[in-house]
């Protein structure tokens, strides 16, 4: 009887702890985050550009993904196609108009589990001063202690397809494709000060 009471008490304590468990806040690592987008150029090639993150936060609750969120700022100063003249052209008014709109942002409005380690992340993407809803298909690559930094870390990949003309960036459509393919990979860790608490 005493053993049964112990088991029941342990179960109640475990349940209470799990109920109190909060979502974990991770800061994205700019050195291990790439936001890649590609397009078709006159049918001949498919260039790719990377926009590094200025700041990014992932709040992740693996038990209740609806409590998760993502917020990212992407500075156009970091736009990199590996072709300096193309970088300059994409920042001009006929494309991103980076002097007037120096950053892009994404702020999630809903996170849904999609089975296994898959998630649907819907949010507001702001580009060129225009805000539109976008859904990312996200995959959790790994969750656990970072072997070097010794702090809780998560890694995700995510993809989306969007139309640049929806954001007022429609120069040379359809010869230069309207459809943009986005691929994101990121690592995010709990800041050491928070992890030590």
């Amino acid at each position: 009887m005493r053993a049964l009471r112990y088991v029941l008490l342990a179960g109640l304590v475990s349940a209470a702890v799990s109920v109190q468990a909060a979502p974990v806040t991770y800061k994205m690592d700019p050195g291990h985050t790439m936001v890649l987008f590609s397009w078709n150029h006159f049918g001949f090639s498919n260039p790719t550009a990377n926009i590094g993150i200025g700041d990014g936060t992932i709040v992740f609750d693996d038990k209740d993904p609806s409590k998760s969120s993502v917020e990212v700022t992407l500075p156009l100063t970091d736009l990199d196609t590996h072709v300096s003249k193309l970088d300059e052209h994409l920042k001009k008014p006929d494309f991103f108009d980076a002097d007037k709109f120096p950053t892009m942002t994404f702020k999630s409005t809903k996170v849904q589990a999609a089975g296994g380690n898959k998630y649907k992340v819907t949010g507001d993407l702001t580009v060129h001063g225009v805000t539109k809803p976008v859904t990312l298909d996200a995959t959790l690559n790994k969750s656990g202690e970072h072997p070097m930094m010794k702090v809780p870390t998560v890694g995700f990949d995510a993809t989306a397809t969007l139309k640049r003309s929806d954001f007022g960036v429609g120069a040379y459509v359809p010869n230069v494709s309207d459809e943009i393919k986005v691929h994101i990979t990121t690592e995010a860790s709990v800041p050491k000060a928070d992890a030590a608490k």
Side-chain angles (χ1 to χ4, degrees):
M1 197 69 176
R2 185 179 297 171
L4 178 59
R5 269 199 306 252
Y6 177 79
V7 169
L8 288 172
L9 183 60
L12 287 171
V13 169
S14 176
V17 168
S18 65
V19 167
Q20 292 171 0
V24 180
T25 299
Y26 302 87
K27 295 298 288 182
M28 290 185 186
D29 177 1
H32 294 91
T33 298
M34 299 181 84
V35 180
L36 304 168
F37 64 95
S38 62
W39 62 97
N40 183 269
H41 187 257
F42 291 87
F44 296 112
S45 62
N46 295 284
T48 298
N50 178 36
I51 301 178
I53 62 164
D55 186 56
T57 301
I58 296 173
V59 177
F60 183 55
D61 189 328
D62 60 345
K63 298 288 189 287
D64 185 357
S66 67
K67 293 179 181 176
S68 302
S69 63
V70 181
E71 191 164 352
V72 185
T73 300
L74 308 163
L76 284 166
T77 51
D78 293 338
L79 173 68
D80 183 13
T81 65
H82 296 287
V83 180
S84 58
K85 287 188 177 180
L86 180 55
D87 294 348
E88 292 171 15
H89 189 190
L90 290 176
K91 293 174 187 177
K92 289 185 176 177
D94 54 341
F95 283 106
F96 288 114
D97 199 0
D99 287 341
K100 189 174 181 181
F101 306 105
T103 61
M104 298 189 292
T105 61
F106 178 82
K107 186 173 183 178
S108 67
T109 54
K110 181 168 63 174
V111 177
Q112 298 170 286
N117 60 341
K118 309 285 186 183
Y119 301 88
K120 294 278 186 183
V121 182
T122 301
D124 293 326
L125 176 65
T126 300
V127 178
H128 198 247
V130 178
T131 301
K132 296 281 185 181
V134 168
T135 298
L136 301 171
D137 293 309
T139 300
L140 174 63
N141 299 324
K142 186 176 180 180
S143 175
E145 185 180 83
H146 193 286
M148 295 178 72
M149 296 188 294
K150 306 300 182 187
V151 292
T153 300
V154 290
F156 287 91
D157 273 28
T159 60
T161 301
L162 51 88
K163 287 188 175 181
R164 60 189 177 94
S165 61
D166 288 346
F167 297 89
V169 188
Y172 310 117
V173 169
N175 291 315
V176 177
S177 65
D178 195 8
E179 184 177 272
I180 300 294
K181 294 180 179 178
V182 181
H183 179 202
I184 302 158
T185 189
T186 187
E187 290 181 23
S189 299
V190 174
K192 284 193 175 181
D194 294 342
K197 291 177 183 177

